[in-house]
Amino acid sequence: MRNNSAYAAYSQNNTAIESPEKLIEMLYEGILRFGAQAKKSIENNDIEKKTYWINRCSAIFAELLNSLDYSGGDVAHYLSGLYTRQLQLLALANLENDVNKIDEVMNVAKGLLEAWKEITHG
């Protein structure tokens, strides 16, 4: 069930996703948007919304983790560790109301997005 939540979040708003490459880009962008909302919720001391936005970020990382193709070499193994670490940071951010941990996750997502765009858009 949880695996499809990230995809569902986007398919509701985007009836036609052009390609799997575009979907990955949208997922990274979603992490950035949802992370910003989570930070705002922590700053506003809104625990319910904080949890909601952090869970949305976590669902995206879980979807990315589950979609890795390990037959392609070392990149998938690297990304697996990176995504798992982001899930850990999000859990800690949720427990500790720590915007710095969310910033760390967002910095990683921003780097991933930039690299992905460079690879897919040339």
Side-chain angles (χ1 to χ4, degrees):
M1 289 287 240
R2 182 175 168 157
N3 299 355
N4 296 325
S5 59
Y7 179 78
Y10 288 98
S11 64
Q12 291 171 3
N13 296 326
N14 299 292
T15 54
I17 296 172
E18 303 99 50
S19 66
E21 291 80 15
K22 181 65 177 171
L23 176 60
I24 299 295
E25 187 175 314
M26 292 168 64
L27 291 172
Y28 288 147
E29 290 169 347
I31 292 165
L32 295 173
R33 280 196 311 276
F34 299 156
Q37 292 295 326
K39 282 178 56 174
K40 192 181 301 181
S41 298
I42 289 172
E43 291 162 0
N44 294 333
N45 205 27
D46 188 334
I47 303 303
E48 186 176 334
K49 283 186 179 177
K50 170 204 70 168
T51 302
Y52 173 78
W53 294 116
I54 287 175
N55 284 344
R56 297 281 302 261
C57 287
S58 296
I60 292 173
F61 276 114
E63 180 68 22
L64 289 166
L65 193 57
N66 289 329
S67 68
L68 291 174
D69 178 5
Y70 292 96
S71 66
D74 293 339
V75 174
H77 293 283
Y78 170 79
L79 288 173
S80 174
L82 189 64
Y83 294 160
T84 300
R85 176 65 181 148
Q86 303 321 297
L87 287 166
Q88 292 169 340
L89 287 170
L90 288 167
L92 289 171
N94 198 17
L95 283 170
E96 301 168 0
N97 293 319
D98 189 342
V99 294
N100 293 323
K101 287 184 175 53
I102 294 174
D103 281 336
E104 191 175 333
V105 170
M106 290 175 65
N107 284 335
V108 168
K110 185 177 180 182
L112 288 167
L113 176 59
E114 289 170 2
W116 187 254
K117 283 182 177 180
E118 193 173 304
I119 291 167
T120 59
H121 300 303

